[in-house]
């Protein structure tokens, strides 16, 4: 069984200085000295490298004509190691009528509800994992940049999300310049399986993936989803509930939860286009786990599609199949709640090259834009934060905000992020981007110094709504953050779009403002660009 899980053997390396070089030299001398008819013993093949994670199957490609996304409704199902005996069963409940569960061997279970129980099944021989790990990273985007750096060195990494975003490569792989790696090795003698057996009874394991059909819908975490569904093992030894959902139905579960169902029609239409574009651009996000997208804030919030009202349905239908593109490919269609009057450039938020359609810019009427032109001068930031009320979307409750962090809060945040500095003594801004956002924040402590960059700032200090802030010490062990905006600040400001749509702006005007130079195109026109 273990051999089936391991990767194919790597080719022999006979480069000078390699571990095999002395063997190769010895073999060459033997061949020269031996008669031509004498057989030479063959070298034993190198052992196959250990796998990085538990086996999974990649989700299918998304087809432009009939796009279907595999979305995880339950990404981490199963008890913690050693907790099987006390684990509650996995209950699948039909919203109406019956549901049917079929395993890979054709075993069939059905009923208005189906109870599946967790069981640890011994392996015929131990299963070992070994990998080199970069991270954790504050976002998928930052993890992707690290993965790109590895690919440029000829390494084939994978991006994973066991708890935070990480990048994995074979054991003993050298880290890219500027990044630190750690080695992880694991050994398992059991695997987690699902069974239909009764409590306390050893039932036969159901062979995954399990297919689930529920004509009347499946109840899951307070919602009802149409499916079809599959239960499949994930990369971390547990299981995942996945819905196979057509793209346009997926949007019914996203748009009202991202921008609000009561938004003006043009703002709803813009959100529909962006959610559609974002999902297609990010369909590789969870490939390691065997699906395209998650249903929480690591992707786009996806909930019960039935809750979408008439206005949301009209916006999705009016933009059906349309995506925002740059040079024939879906753009990075990022968006956020409010930019605080100042849009961020891509490179201010995430590591990577600037994008021509995600640039820093003031977000207000002409007089406001002239006053707070980019790059924003350091002397202008206090005025922006104190007098930015004429910007678009200024009604948002976190358009302006203040936070006070104490020594204990700073220390706790750094400890949680595994970035200890002892007792924090000083916080200082080292670098700002063109929009005025903090790109590097230094924390000096009694036992060291840490510098947080870009999205790692908000990931570490989750109390901060954005990185558009002033910072000042306010007495011993107290720091005042005076800021604006909620979210990363790049792309569409939802508050700004709602404001502008209320003033009569159209869908093309909104998209052009927040993503200049992009084009609105039908999916079918993208071809291989999808």
């Amino acid at each position: 069984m273990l051999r089936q899980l391991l990767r194919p053997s790597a080719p022999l390396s006979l480069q000078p200085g390699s571990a095999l070089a002395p063997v190769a030299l010895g073999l060459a001398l033997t061949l020269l000295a031996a008669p031509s008819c004498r057989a030479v013993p063959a070298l034993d093949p190198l052992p196959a490298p250990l796998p990085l994670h538990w086996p999974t199957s990649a989700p299918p490609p998304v087809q432009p004509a009939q796009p279907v996304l595999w979305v995880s409704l339950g990404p981490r199902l199963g008890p913690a190691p050693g907790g099987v005996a006390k684990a509650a069963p996995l209950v699948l409940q039909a919203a109406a009528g019956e549901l049917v569960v079929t395993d890979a061997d054709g075993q069939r279970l059905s009923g208005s509800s189906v109870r599946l129980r967790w069981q640890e099944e011994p392996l015929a021989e131990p299963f070992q994992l070994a990998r080199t790990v970069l991270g954790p990273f504050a976002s998928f985007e930052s993890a992707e940049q690290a993965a790109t750096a590895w690919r440029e060195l000829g390494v084939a990494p994978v991006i994973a999300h066991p708890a935070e975003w990480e990048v994995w490569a074979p054991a003993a792989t050298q880290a890219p310049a500027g990044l630190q790696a750690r080695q992880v090795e694991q050994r398992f003698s059991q695997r987690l399986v699902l069974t239909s057996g009764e409590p306390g009874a050893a039932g036969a394991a159901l062979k995954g993936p399990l297919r689930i059909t529920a004509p009347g819908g499946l109840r899951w975490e307070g919602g009802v989803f149409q499916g079809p569904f599959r239960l499949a093992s994930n990369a971390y030894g547990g299981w995942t509930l996945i819905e196979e959902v057509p793209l346009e139905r997926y949007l019914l579960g996203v748009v009202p939860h991202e921008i609000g169902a009561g938004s003006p029609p043009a703002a709803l239409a813009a959100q529909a286009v962006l959610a559609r574009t974002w999902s297609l651009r990010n369909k590789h996000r969870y490939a390691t786990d065997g699906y395209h997208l998650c249903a929480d804030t690591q992707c786009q919030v996806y909930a019960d599609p039935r809750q979408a009202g008439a206005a949301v349905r009209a916006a999705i239908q009016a933009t059906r199949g349309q995506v925002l593109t740059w040079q024939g490919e879906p753009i990075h269609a990022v968006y956020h709640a409010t930019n605080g009057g100042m849009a961020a450039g891509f490179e201010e938020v995430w590591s990577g090259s600037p994008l021509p359609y995600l640039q820093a810019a003031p977000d207000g009427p002409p007089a406001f834009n002239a006053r707070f032109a980019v790059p924003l001068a350091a002397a202008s930031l206090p005025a922006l934060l104190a007098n930015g009320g004429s910007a678009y979307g200024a009604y948002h409750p976190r358009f302006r905000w203040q936070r006070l962090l104490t020594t204990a809060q700073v220390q706790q945040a750094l400890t949680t992020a595994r970035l200890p500095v002892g007792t924090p003594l000083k916080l200082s801004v080292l670098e700002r981007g063109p929009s005025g956002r903090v790109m590097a924040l230094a924390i000096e402590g009694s036992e060291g110094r840490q510098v947080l960059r870009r999205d790692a700032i908000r990931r570490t200090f989750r109390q901060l709504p954005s990185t558009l802030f002033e910072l000042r010490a306010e007495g011993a062990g107290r720091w005042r953050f005076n800021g604006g905006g909620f979210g990363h600040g790049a792309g569409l400001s939802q508050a700004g779009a709602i404001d502008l749509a209320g003033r009569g702006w159209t869908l093309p005007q909104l998209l052009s403002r927040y993503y200049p130079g992009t084009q609105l195109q039908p999916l079918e026109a993208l071809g291989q660009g999808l």
Side-chain angles (χ1 to χ4, degrees):
M1 177 178 179
L2 181 59
R3 291 191 185 93
Q4 297 174 353
L5 297 173
L6 299 180
R7 294 184 173 185
S9 300
L12 295 179
S13 173
L14 303 183
Q15 298 299 317
S18 75
L20 290 180
V23 177
L25 178 59
L27 177 60
L29 294 174
T30 301
L31 290 171
L32 289 173
S36 59
C37 60
R38 183 177 299 172
V40 178
L43 286 174
D44 291 334
L46 288 177
L50 294 175
L52 308 184
H53 55 78
W54 286 88
T56 58
S57 298
V62 177
Q63 303 299 329
Q66 294 182 319
V68 174
L69 295 170
W70 285 19
V71 179
S72 165
L73 300 181
R76 299 287 185 274
L77 301 180
V84 171
K86 298 181 180 179
L90 176 62
V91 179
L92 302 173
Q93 178 72 49
E98 290 192 340
L99 58 82
V100 177
V101 179
T102 308
D103 81 347
D105 284 338
Q107 183 175 347
R108 188 174 179 274
L109 307 171
S110 63
S112 58
S113 68
V114 172
R115 297 168 70 86
L116 303 175
R117 300 192 179 278
W118 301 104
Q119 184 173 298
E120 287 182 331
E121 182 179 76
L123 295 171
E125 53 184 291
F127 177 52
Q128 293 180 273
L129 302 176
R131 55 183 176 260
T132 303
V133 178
L134 302 178
F137 296 96
S139 63
F140 173 83
E141 288 77 8
S142 291
E144 195 167 39
Q145 289 297 321
T148 299
W150 241 340
R151 292 187 193 102
E152 291 173 350
L153 298 175
V155 178
V158 299
I159 300 174
H161 192 248
E164 302 284 352
W165 291 106
E166 297 178 351
V167 184
W168 297 348
T173 303
Q174 184 175 356
L179 295 172
Q180 292 185 336
R182 67 183 189 277
Q183 301 298 314
V184 172
E185 295 184 8
Q186 296 173 295
R187 181 183 175 92
F188 301 91
S189 59
Q190 296 178 314
R191 65 169 182 166
L192 184 66
V193 298
L194 285 162
T195 175
S196 59
E198 293 301 316
L206 298 170
K207 185 176 180 181
L210 311 183
R211 299 283 300 170
I212 304 166
T213 56
L218 176 72
R219 293 193 183 278
W220 188 260
E221 296 189 349
V224 174
F225 300 86
Q226 186 175 336
F229 310 89
R230 57 197 288 120
L231 270 168
S233 55
N234 60 36
Y236 320 108
W239 288 70
T240 298
L241 176 64
I242 300 167
E243 182 183 17
E244 301 172 20
V245 54
L247 176 58
E248 300 302 315
R249 191 209 304 163
Y250 167 75
L251 296 181
L252 293 174
V254 170
V255 172
H257 302 286
E258 287 290 352
I259 198 170
S263 301
L268 287 174
Q271 183 65 73
V273 169
L274 296 175
R276 186 183 293 113
T277 305
W278 188 96
S279 64
L280 295 174
R281 177 67 182 244
N282 286 271
K283 61 186 184 297
H284 62 298
R285 207 171 181 91
Y286 282 90
T288 301
D289 279 324
Y291 53 91
H292 296 114
L293 299 173
C294 61
D296 59 30
T297 54
Q298 290 295 336
C299 298
Q300 300 178 116
V301 175
Y302 170 63
D304 189 344
R306 302 176 311 154
Q307 298 176 1
V312 170
R313 293 176 183 274
I316 294 171
Q317 182 60 36
T319 64
R320 185 176 184 86
Q322 296 181 26
V323 293
L324 205 56
T325 68
W326 174 266
Q327 295 182 344
E329 295 184 352
I331 69 164
H332 278 288
V334 291
Y335 54 87
H336 56 281
T338 169
N339 59 26
M342 188 65 66
F346 179 88
E347 72 283 2
E348 294 183 83
V349 183
W350 302 287
S351 300
S353 302
L355 294 174
Y357 53 83
L358 291 176
Q359 296 291 321
D363 192 18
F368 176 91
N369 296 344
R371 182 180 181 186
F372 299 110
V374 295
L376 187 69
S380 298
L381 180 60
L384 171 70
L385 295 175
N387 305 305
S390 62
Y392 298 137
Y395 69 89
H396 194 281
R398 293 188 185 172
F399 182 79
R400 293 290 176 265
W401 49 266
Q402 289 191 348
R403 297 290 185 272
L404 182 67
L405 296 185
T406 65
T407 296
Q409 290 173 311
V410 172
Q411 187 170 19
Q412 179 60 50
L414 292 172
T415 300
T416 300
R418 302 178 185 176
L419 299 169
V421 297
T423 301
L425 303 173
K426 181 181 179 182
L427 274 66
S428 56
V429 174
L430 301 183
E431 182 183 356
R432 291 185 184 274
S435 73
R437 282 173 171 76
V438 177
M439 295 180 63
L441 177 68
I443 304 97
E444 298 178 30
S446 59
E447 299 176 10
R449 180 177 186 264
Q450 294 287 348
V451 176
L452 302 176
R453 298 187 183 278
R454 297 180 175 87
D455 53 350
I457 298 171
R458 283 203 308 135
R459 173 183 173 271
T460 304
F461 297 114
R462 299 181 186 272
Q463 304 96 325
L464 302 180
S466 80
T467 55
L468 182 63
F469 60 76
E470 293 180 282
L471 169 64
R472 67 173 184 270
E474 196 168 275
R478 292 159 60 92
W479 293 272
R480 173 79 58 183
F481 294 79
N482 181 35
F486 183 24
H488 49 68
L492 180 129
S493 163
Q494 292 168 321
I498 292 171
D499 187 350
L500 289 168
R503 302 181 189 211
W505 283 47
T506 64
L507 171 64
Q509 288 176 312
L510 292 177
L511 297 178
S512 178
R513 176 171 189 83
Y514 290 107
Y515 309 93
T518 58
Q519 291 183 298
L520 192 59
Q521 290 185 287
L523 270 175
E524 291 81 356
L526 299 187
Q528 296 301 317
L530 180 59

